[in-house]
Amino acid sequence: SFLYLSISSGSRTSINTRVYSYDCNVYPTKLDIMFDINEIDYMNDNYAWAKDPDAKFISDDDDQYGSTYDLLYNKNTGYKTILVVFDGIPKPAQMAHEAFHVMNGIFKEVDLEFNYNKNTGNEHLAYIIEWAVKCMCDAIEKEKKCKKKTK
């Protein structure tokens, strides 16, 4: 996994937008994590839905929890991407909630299914959720360091 700071020179995009990006080594997708739900212009400039590239992100004043957007691609790189946007640093329950959505997004993208067989334990699901939480923890640590530097 790796981190990149994505800074757009576009007039509508904040120069302080930070995006933490991670490769999923098992499935062909990336996980991008942001900590500012107000960066709608940045999101529209840099991400699009594969099945509806003209659709736009909109501000949702009722959602102060966080959001996971799947079946996206990054307009700059062309990579399949799942975008998680938190409203600041999330609490563990928020991370668990969004990690489930990350797993679900990956499974939709690669057309995998939940296995209802009682003997499997669905380890493949657990490993993806674990990976997503590890990415979120890493992004949180990096975000905290960036915020300390800008104070």
Side-chain angles (χ1 to χ4, degrees), residues 6-142:
S6 185
I7 301 172
S8 172
S9 60
S11 59
R12 297 182 307 154
T13 303
S14 167
I15 192 113
N16 295 320
T17 302
R18 288 185 293 272
V19 178
Y20 303 91
S21 186
Y22 300 87
D23 283 309
C24 180
N25 295 324
V26 179
Y27 301 108
T29 192
K30 289 186 181 284
L31 172 60
D32 285 3
I33 302 169
M34 296 172 56
F35 296 99
D36 187 348
I37 61 171
N38 297 310
E39 290 289 348
I40 300 298
D41 288 337
Y42 178 88
M43 293 161 57
N44 282 317
D45 289 345
N46 291 279
Y47 299 95
W49 280 269
K51 293 188 179 185
D52 190 1
D54 295 326
K56 297 292 183 194
F57 295 93
I58 58 169
S59 180
D60 182 0
D61 294 333
D62 293 334
D63 185 9
Q64 301 300 310
Y65 196 76
S67 297
T68 297
Y69 304 95
D70 57 23
L71 304 175
L72 298 175
Y73 67 92
N74 183 303
K75 291 180 181 179
N76 301 309
T77 64
Y79 288 127
K80 294 176 185 175
T81 305
I82 295 173
L83 176 63
V84 176
V85 184
F86 290 110
D87 184 19
I89 302 299
K91 303 236 183 290
Q94 292 170 284
M95 293 169 50
H97 180 99
E98 299 307 327
F100 180 86
H101 290 307
V102 169
M103 178 275 305
N104 191 59
I106 290 173
F107 273 44
K108 283 194 290 188
E109 182 66 44
V110 297
D111 201 25
L112 291 174
E113 296 178 3
F114 187 85
N115 188 338
Y116 292 99
N117 184 326
K118 293 178 184 176
N119 299 325
T120 69
N122 286 288
E123 283 297 308
H124 56 304
L125 303 176
Y127 283 121
I128 291 174
I129 291 172
E130 177 185 353
W131 169 78
V133 170
K134 285 179 179 178
C135 294
M136 291 173 192
C137 290
D138 183 73
I140 289 167
E141 290 305 311
K142 288 180 168 103

